[in-house]
mmCIF file of all heavy atoms in Angstrom:
data_model
loop_
_atom_site.group_PDB
_atom_site.id
_atom_site.type_symbol
_atom_site.label_atom_id
_atom_site.label_comp_id
_atom_site.label_asym_id
_atom_site.label_seq_id
_atom_site.Cartn_x
_atom_site.Cartn_y
_atom_site.Cartn_z
ATOM 1 N N PRO A 122 -3.311 -13.026 2.679
ATOM 2 C CA PRO A 122 -2.693 -12.431 1.499
ATOM 3 C C PRO A 122 -2.006 -13.508 0.669
ATOM 4 O O PRO A 122 -1.372 -14.429 1.203
ATOM 5 C CB PRO A 122 -1.658 -11.469 2.079
ATOM 6 C CG PRO A 122 -2.117 -11.172 3.453
ATOM 7 C CD PRO A 122 -2.818 -12.439 3.910
ATOM 8 N N ASP A 123 -2.164 -13.421 -0.637
ATOM 9 C CA ASP A 123 -1.509 -14.337 -1.561
ATOM 10 C C ASP A 123 -0.029 -13.972 -1.598
ATOM 11 O O ASP A 123 0.325 -12.872 -1.981
ATOM 12 C CB ASP A 123 -2.143 -14.199 -2.949
ATOM 13 C CG ASP A 123 -1.526 -15.093 -3.974
ATOM 14 O OD1 ASP A 123 -0.553 -15.813 -3.674
ATOM 15 O OD2 ASP A 123 -2.002 -15.066 -5.125
ATOM 16 N N GLN A 124 0.822 -14.893 -1.187
ATOM 17 C CA GLN A 124 2.248 -14.597 -1.130
ATOM 18 C C GLN A 124 2.803 -14.280 -2.503
ATOM 19 O O GLN A 124 3.855 -13.635 -2.607
ATOM 20 C CB GLN A 124 3.008 -15.744 -0.478
ATOM 21 C CG GLN A 124 2.661 -15.850 0.987
ATOM 22 C CD GLN A 124 3.610 -16.754 1.735
ATOM 23 O OE1 GLN A 124 4.665 -17.082 1.256
ATOM 24 N NE2 GLN A 124 3.221 -17.128 2.919
ATOM 25 N N GLY A 125 2.122 -14.686 -3.547
ATOM 26 C CA GLY A 125 2.570 -14.338 -4.900
ATOM 27 C C GLY A 125 2.260 -12.916 -5.285
ATOM 28 O O GLY A 125 2.654 -12.450 -6.355
ATOM 29 N N SER A 126 1.562 -12.169 -4.419
ATOM 30 C CA SER A 126 1.222 -10.776 -4.740
ATOM 31 C C SER A 126 1.921 -9.803 -3.813
ATOM 32 O O SER A 126 1.557 -8.634 -3.756
ATOM 33 C CB SER A 126 -0.305 -10.592 -4.658
ATOM 34 O OG SER A 126 -0.735 -10.737 -3.318
ATOM 35 N N ILE A 127 2.927 -10.268 -3.053
ATOM 36 C CA ILE A 127 3.616 -9.438 -2.071
ATOM 37 C C ILE A 127 5.113 -9.486 -2.336
ATOM 38 O O ILE A 127 5.646 -10.494 -2.789
ATOM 39 C CB ILE A 127 3.324 -9.951 -0.653
ATOM 40 C CG1 ILE A 127 1.844 -9.837 -0.326
ATOM 41 C CG2 ILE A 127 4.151 -9.211 0.387
ATOM 42 C CD1 ILE A 127 1.454 -10.451 0.989
ATOM 43 N N VAL A 128 5.793 -8.388 -2.041
ATOM 44 C CA VAL A 128 7.241 -8.368 -2.047
ATOM 45 C C VAL A 128 7.713 -8.812 -0.663
ATOM 46 O O VAL A 128 7.334 -8.195 0.336
ATOM 47 C CB VAL A 128 7.780 -6.957 -2.365
ATOM 48 C CG1 VAL A 128 9.268 -6.861 -2.116
ATOM 49 C CG2 VAL A 128 7.443 -6.554 -3.801
ATOM 50 N N PHE A 129 8.462 -9.886 -0.604
ATOM 51 C CA PHE A 129 9.083 -10.347 0.634
ATOM 52 C C PHE A 129 10.569 -10.069 0.535
ATOM 53 O O PHE A 129 11.206 -10.476 -0.439
ATOM 54 C CB PHE A 129 8.897 -11.858 0.839
ATOM 55 C CG PHE A 129 7.528 -12.265 1.274
ATOM 56 C CD1 PHE A 129 6.590 -12.685 0.358
ATOM 57 C CD2 PHE A 129 7.176 -12.225 2.611
ATOM 58 C CE1 PHE A 129 5.323 -13.074 0.751
ATOM 59 C CE2 PHE A 129 5.920 -12.602 3.030
ATOM 60 C CZ PHE A 129 4.976 -13.019 2.090
ATOM 61 N N ILE A 130 11.095 -9.373 1.521
ATOM 62 C CA ILE A 130 12.538 -9.180 1.600
ATOM 63 C C ILE A 130 12.989 -9.938 2.840
ATOM 64 O O ILE A 130 12.602 -9.591 3.966
ATOM 65 C CB ILE A 130 12.919 -7.694 1.686
ATOM 66 C CG1 ILE A 130 12.411 -6.962 0.459
ATOM 67 C CG2 ILE A 130 14.447 -7.548 1.814
ATOM 68 C CD1 ILE A 130 12.581 -5.461 0.519
ATOM 69 N N ARG A 131 13.738 -10.987 2.618
ATOM 70 C CA ARG A 131 14.195 -11.849 3.714
ATOM 71 C C ARG A 131 15.704 -11.867 3.705
ATOM 72 O O ARG A 131 16.330 -11.786 2.654
ATOM 73 C CB ARG A 131 13.667 -13.265 3.544
ATOM 74 C CG ARG A 131 12.164 -13.350 3.659
ATOM 75 C CD ARG A 131 11.676 -14.757 3.580
ATOM 76 N NE ARG A 131 10.240 -14.755 3.811
ATOM 77 C CZ ARG A 131 9.438 -15.741 3.438
ATOM 78 N NH1 ARG A 131 9.914 -16.796 2.856
ATOM 79 N NH2 ARG A 131 8.154 -15.655 3.689
ATOM 80 N N GLY A 132 16.279 -11.987 4.871
ATOM 81 C CA GLY A 132 17.719 -12.023 4.931
ATOM 82 C C GLY A 132 18.238 -12.504 6.257
ATOM 83 O O GLY A 132 17.472 -12.823 7.170
ATOM 84 N N SER A 133 19.559 -12.522 6.340
ATOM 85 C CA SER A 133 20.263 -12.949 7.536
ATOM 86 C C SER A 133 21.387 -11.975 7.837
ATOM 87 O O SER A 133 21.946 -11.379 6.914
ATOM 88 C CB SER A 133 20.822 -14.359 7.355
ATOM 89 O OG SER A 133 19.793 -15.263 7.059
ATOM 90 N N VAL A 134 21.745 -11.881 9.107
ATOM 91 C CA VAL A 134 22.864 -11.043 9.538
ATOM 92 C C VAL A 134 23.873 -11.960 10.189
ATOM 93 O O VAL A 134 23.522 -12.831 10.993
ATOM 94 C CB VAL A 134 22.382 -9.944 10.512
ATOM 95 C CG1 VAL A 134 23.558 -9.080 10.972
ATOM 96 C CG2 VAL A 134 21.311 -9.078 9.861
ATOM 97 N N PHE A 135 25.165 -11.727 9.837
ATOM 98 C CA PHE A 135 26.250 -12.583 10.318
ATOM 99 C C PHE A 135 27.358 -11.774 10.961
ATOM 100 O O PHE A 135 27.590 -10.622 10.608
ATOM 101 C CB PHE A 135 26.851 -13.376 9.152
ATOM 102 C CG PHE A 135 25.873 -14.287 8.470
ATOM 103 C CD1 PHE A 135 25.255 -13.896 7.286
ATOM 104 C CD2 PHE A 135 25.558 -15.512 9.023
ATOM 105 C CE1 PHE A 135 24.356 -14.738 6.637
ATOM 106 C CE2 PHE A 135 24.648 -16.363 8.388
ATOM 107 C CZ PHE A 135 24.050 -15.973 7.202
ATOM 108 N N PHE A 136 28.045 -12.422 11.921
ATOM 109 C CA PHE A 136 29.310 -11.898 12.430
ATOM 110 C C PHE A 136 30.365 -12.149 11.350
ATOM 111 O O PHE A 136 30.159 -12.979 10.463
ATOM 112 C CB PHE A 136 29.724 -12.617 13.726
ATOM 113 C CG PHE A 136 28.882 -12.258 14.903
ATOM 114 C CD1 PHE A 136 27.996 -13.175 15.453
ATOM 115 C CD2 PHE A 136 28.997 -11.005 15.506
ATOM 116 C CE1 PHE A 136 27.231 -12.854 16.561
ATOM 117 C CE2 PHE A 136 28.228 -10.666 16.613
ATOM 118 C CZ PHE A 136 27.350 -11.590 17.141
ATOM 119 N N LYS A 137 31.520 -11.482 11.439
ATOM 120 C CA LYS A 137 32.539 -11.631 10.412
ATOM 121 C C LYS A 137 33.078 -13.052 10.314
ATOM 122 O O LYS A 137 33.577 -13.460 9.276
ATOM 123 C CB LYS A 137 33.659 -10.600 10.557
ATOM 124 C CG LYS A 137 34.450 -10.650 11.805
ATOM 125 C CD LYS A 137 35.455 -9.499 11.808
ATOM 126 C CE LYS A 137 36.209 -9.383 13.097
ATOM 127 N NZ LYS A 137 37.141 -8.225 13.060
ATOM 128 N N GLU A 138 32.934 -13.856 11.392
ATOM 129 C CA GLU A 138 33.361 -15.264 11.319
ATOM 130 C C GLU A 138 32.326 -16.139 10.599
ATOM 131 O O GLU A 138 32.591 -17.304 10.320
ATOM 132 C CB GLU A 138 33.569 -15.855 12.723
ATOM 133 C CG GLU A 138 34.655 -15.199 13.523
ATOM 134 C CD GLU A 138 34.193 -13.993 14.322
ATOM 135 O OE1 GLU A 138 32.977 -13.693 14.309
ATOM 136 O OE2 GLU A 138 35.021 -13.367 14.948
ATOM 137 N N GLY A 139 31.153 -15.599 10.356
ATOM 138 C CA GLY A 139 30.126 -16.345 9.630
ATOM 139 C C GLY A 139 29.003 -16.895 10.478
ATOM 140 O O GLY A 139 28.079 -17.494 9.944
ATOM 141 N N SER A 140 29.044 -16.723 11.796
ATOM 142 C CA SER A 140 27.937 -17.182 12.622
ATOM 143 C C SER A 140 26.822 -16.137 12.658
ATOM 144 O O SER A 140 27.049 -14.948 12.426
ATOM 145 C CB SER A 140 28.432 -17.540 14.030
ATOM 146 O OG SER A 140 29.066 -16.440 14.624
ATOM 147 N N SER A 141 25.630 -16.607 12.977
ATOM 148 C CA SER A 141 24.436 -15.748 12.937
ATOM 149 C C SER A 141 24.405 -14.748 14.086
ATOM 150 O O SER A 141 24.816 -15.060 15.201
ATOM 151 C CB SER A 141 23.188 -16.620 13.009
ATOM 152 O OG SER A 141 23.143 -17.508 11.937
ATOM 153 N N VAL A 142 23.861 -13.583 13.793
ATOM 154 C CA VAL A 142 23.711 -12.515 14.797
ATOM 155 C C VAL A 142 22.249 -12.510 15.258
ATOM 156 O O VAL A 142 21.340 -12.271 14.472
ATOM 157 C CB VAL A 142 24.078 -11.140 14.235
ATOM 158 C CG1 VAL A 142 23.830 -10.045 15.242
ATOM 159 C CG2 VAL A 142 25.531 -11.107 13.754
ATOM 160 N N THR A 143 22.047 -12.750 16.538
ATOM 161 C CA THR A 143 20.719 -12.694 17.146
ATOM 162 C C THR A 143 20.503 -11.319 17.757
ATOM 163 O O THR A 143 21.411 -10.791 18.401
ATOM 164 C CB THR A 143 20.599 -13.755 18.246
ATOM 165 O OG1 THR A 143 20.798 -15.049 17.648
ATOM 166 C CG2 THR A 143 19.259 -13.716 18.912
ATOM 167 N N GLY A 144 19.344 -10.722 17.553
ATOM 168 C CA GLY A 144 18.993 -9.472 18.210
ATOM 169 C C GLY A 144 19.550 -8.224 17.580
ATOM 170 O O GLY A 144 19.533 -7.156 18.188
ATOM 171 N N ALA A 145 20.027 -8.289 16.344
ATOM 172 C CA ALA A 145 20.489 -7.079 15.650
ATOM 173 C C ALA A 145 19.262 -6.289 15.188
ATOM 174 O O ALA A 145 18.270 -6.869 14.742
ATOM 175 C CB ALA A 145 21.346 -7.429 14.441
ATOM 176 N N LYS A 146 19.327 -4.974 15.279
ATOM 177 C CA LYS A 146 18.236 -4.142 14.790
ATOM 178 C C LYS A 146 18.392 -4.015 13.272
ATOM 179 O O LYS A 146 19.483 -3.755 12.776
ATOM 180 C CB LYS A 146 18.258 -2.753 15.419
ATOM 181 C CG LYS A 146 17.086 -1.906 14.977
ATOM 182 C CD LYS A 146 17.055 -0.575 15.669
ATOM 183 C CE LYS A 146 15.820 0.187 15.201
ATOM 184 N NZ LYS A 146 15.847 1.562 15.672
ATOM 185 N N VAL A 147 17.293 -4.225 12.561
ATOM 186 C CA VAL A 147 17.300 -4.156 11.094
ATOM 187 C C VAL A 147 16.276 -3.132 10.673
ATOM 188 O O VAL A 147 15.103 -3.223 11.019
ATOM 189 C CB VAL A 147 16.990 -5.535 10.472
ATOM 190 C CG1 VAL A 147 17.059 -5.455 8.958
ATOM 191 C CG2 VAL A 147 17.923 -6.603 11.002
ATOM 192 N N ASP A 148 16.738 -2.113 9.915
ATOM 193 C CA ASP A 148 15.862 -1.074 9.392
ATOM 194 C C ASP A 148 15.651 -1.289 7.900
ATOM 195 O O ASP A 148 16.579 -1.659 7.175
ATOM 196 C CB ASP A 148 16.472 0.307 9.602
ATOM 197 C CG ASP A 148 16.536 0.715 11.061
ATOM 198 O OD1 ASP A 148 15.627 0.326 11.815
ATOM 199 O OD2 ASP A 148 17.483 1.420 11.441
ATOM 200 N N LEU A 149 14.421 -1.052 7.444
ATOM 201 C CA LEU A 149 14.094 -1.084 6.023
ATOM 202 C C LEU A 149 13.858 0.351 5.572
ATOM 203 O O LEU A 149 13.006 1.046 6.130
ATOM 204 C CB LEU A 149 12.833 -1.929 5.782
ATOM 205 C CG LEU A 149 12.335 -1.975 4.346
ATOM 206 C CD1 LEU A 149 13.319 -2.746 3.472
ATOM 207 C CD2 LEU A 149 10.965 -2.609 4.283
ATOM 208 N N LEU A 150 14.626 0.789 4.568
ATOM 209 C CA LEU A 150 14.494 2.142 4.043
ATOM 210 C C LEU A 150 14.188 2.085 2.552
ATOM 211 O O LEU A 150 14.722 1.221 1.840
ATOM 212 C CB LEU A 150 15.793 2.935 4.250
ATOM 213 C CG LEU A 150 16.225 3.131 5.692
ATOM 214 C CD1 LEU A 150 17.256 2.093 6.071
ATOM 215 C CD2 LEU A 150 16.776 4.514 5.872
ATOM 216 N N LEU A 151 13.345 2.977 2.095
ATOM 217 C CA LEU A 151 13.097 3.115 0.668
ATOM 218 C C LEU A 151 14.104 4.094 0.110
ATOM 219 O O LEU A 151 14.287 5.191 0.652
ATOM 220 C CB LEU A 151 11.672 3.633 0.426
ATOM 221 C CG LEU A 151 11.272 3.897 -1.023
ATOM 222 C CD1 LEU A 151 11.275 2.600 -1.830
ATOM 223 C CD2 LEU A 151 9.905 4.568 -1.090
ATOM 224 N N VAL A 152 14.802 3.725 -0.964
ATOM 225 C CA VAL A 152 15.765 4.604 -1.613
ATOM 226 C C VAL A 152 15.046 5.340 -2.738
ATOM 227 O O VAL A 152 14.568 4.729 -3.685
ATOM 228 C CB VAL A 152 16.969 3.806 -2.159
ATOM 229 C CG1 VAL A 152 17.955 4.747 -2.836
ATOM 230 C CG2 VAL A 152 17.647 3.015 -1.049
ATOM 231 N N ASN A 153 14.934 6.651 -2.612
ATOM 232 C CA ASN A 153 14.277 7.479 -3.620
ATOM 233 C C ASN A 153 15.179 7.682 -4.841
ATOM 234 O O ASN A 153 16.388 7.455 -4.775
ATOM 235 C CB ASN A 153 13.887 8.827 -3.016
ATOM 236 C CG ASN A 153 12.905 8.678 -1.875
ATOM 237 O OD1 ASN A 153 11.906 7.973 -1.997
ATOM 238 N ND2 ASN A 153 13.190 9.308 -0.740
ATOM 239 N N SER A 154 14.598 8.143 -5.924
ATOM 240 C CA SER A 154 15.348 8.335 -7.171
ATOM 241 C C SER A 154 16.484 9.332 -7.011
ATOM 242 O O SER A 154 17.484 9.254 -7.742
ATOM 243 C CB SER A 154 14.411 8.748 -8.308
ATOM 244 O OG SER A 154 13.744 9.953 -7.963
ATOM 245 N N ASP A 155 16.386 10.281 -6.085
ATOM 246 C CA ASP A 155 17.453 11.263 -5.873
ATOM 247 C C ASP A 155 18.521 10.760 -4.887
ATOM 248 O O ASP A 155 19.439 11.481 -4.521
ATOM 249 C CB ASP A 155 16.880 12.595 -5.389
ATOM 250 C CG ASP A 155 16.206 12.502 -4.024
ATOM 251 O OD1 ASP A 155 16.189 11.411 -3.432
ATOM 252 O OD2 ASP A 155 15.722 13.542 -3.559
ATOM 253 N N GLY A 156 18.388 9.502 -4.428
ATOM 254 C CA GLY A 156 19.357 8.922 -3.512
ATOM 255 C C GLY A 156 19.003 9.091 -2.043
ATOM 256 O O GLY A 156 19.608 8.471 -1.177
ATOM 257 N N SER A 157 18.033 9.940 -1.748
ATOM 258 C CA SER A 157 17.602 10.100 -0.357
ATOM 259 C C SER A 157 16.845 8.841 0.085
ATOM 260 O O SER A 157 16.440 8.025 -0.747
ATOM 261 C CB SER A 157 16.707 11.345 -0.195
ATOM 262 O OG SER A 157 15.524 11.185 -0.938
#
Side-chain angles (χ1 to χ4, degrees):
D123 180 357
Q124 292 193 15
S126 67
I127 297 174
V128 169
F129 284 96
I130 301 173
R131 294 183 176 160
S133 301
V134 179
F135 299 99
F136 289 109
K137 62 183 174 182
E138 297 88 3
S140 56
S141 301
V142 177
T143 299
K146 184 177 182 189
V147 182
D148 292 326
L149 177 68
L150 299 98
L151 177 64
V152 180
N153 298 312
S154 58
D155 65 0
S157 64

